[in-house]
Amino acid sequence: MNLVSAIAVYFLFFVGIAFLMLPIGMRTDEEVGAPRVRGQAESAPHRFELIPHLLKAALVAAVAFGLFYANYVNGWITAEDLDFYH
């Protein structure tokens, strides 16, 4: 796998994991005890901190990409292993 392909695959892992981690650790205004703003959805987070969220997603994506790359190099799970119909 060349460097550009590895960066592209890592970016895909990063975006997917960042999206999946969005609800983790979020607290609403009701849970915090803060008053809601008029027109605010009940499920809106009290405070969303982007930088810590992206750092956590980058760390998890690095671990996931490391496992993916190790499988790519060593061939632990191949496409033939995932063919459940033959």
Side-chain angles (χ1 to χ4, degrees), residues 4 12 30 45 60 81:
V4 176
L12 289 173
E30 183 180 353
V60 174
D81 295 333

Side-chain angles (χ1 to χ4, degrees), residues 54-78:
L54 293 179
L55 290 175
K56 291 174 195 173
L59 180 65
V60 174
V63 171
F65 176 75
L67 290 172
F68 169 79
Y69 189 75
N71 181 58
Y72 177 80
V73 171
N74 297 319
W76 297 324
I77 301 172
T78 62

Side-chain angles (χ1 to χ4, degrees), residues 44-59:
H46 173 66
R47 184 181 321 195
F48 179 71
E49 297 182 13
L50 182 63
I51 300 300
H53 175 75
L54 293 179
L55 290 175
K56 291 174 195 173
L59 180 65

Side-chain angles (χ1 to χ4, degrees), residues 1 10-11 14 16 19-20 22 30 33 37 42 44 46 53 56 62 69-70 72 78 80-81 86:
M1 177 181 301
Y10 172 78
F11 181 73
F14 174 74
F19 180 73
L20 290 175
L22 277 174
E30 183 180 353
V37 178
E42 292 180 14
H46 173 66
H53 175 75
K56 291 174 195 173
Y69 189 75
Y72 177 80
T78 62
E80 291 80 28
D81 295 333
H86 291 102

Side-chain angles (χ1 to χ4, degrees), residues 15-37:
V15 169
I17 289 172
F19 180 73
L20 290 175
M21 289 179 61
L22 277 174
I24 296 175
M26 290 290 119
R27 298 177 58 113
T28 63
D29 284 336
E30 183 180 353
E31 293 171 335
V32 175
R36 283 192 329 196
V37 178

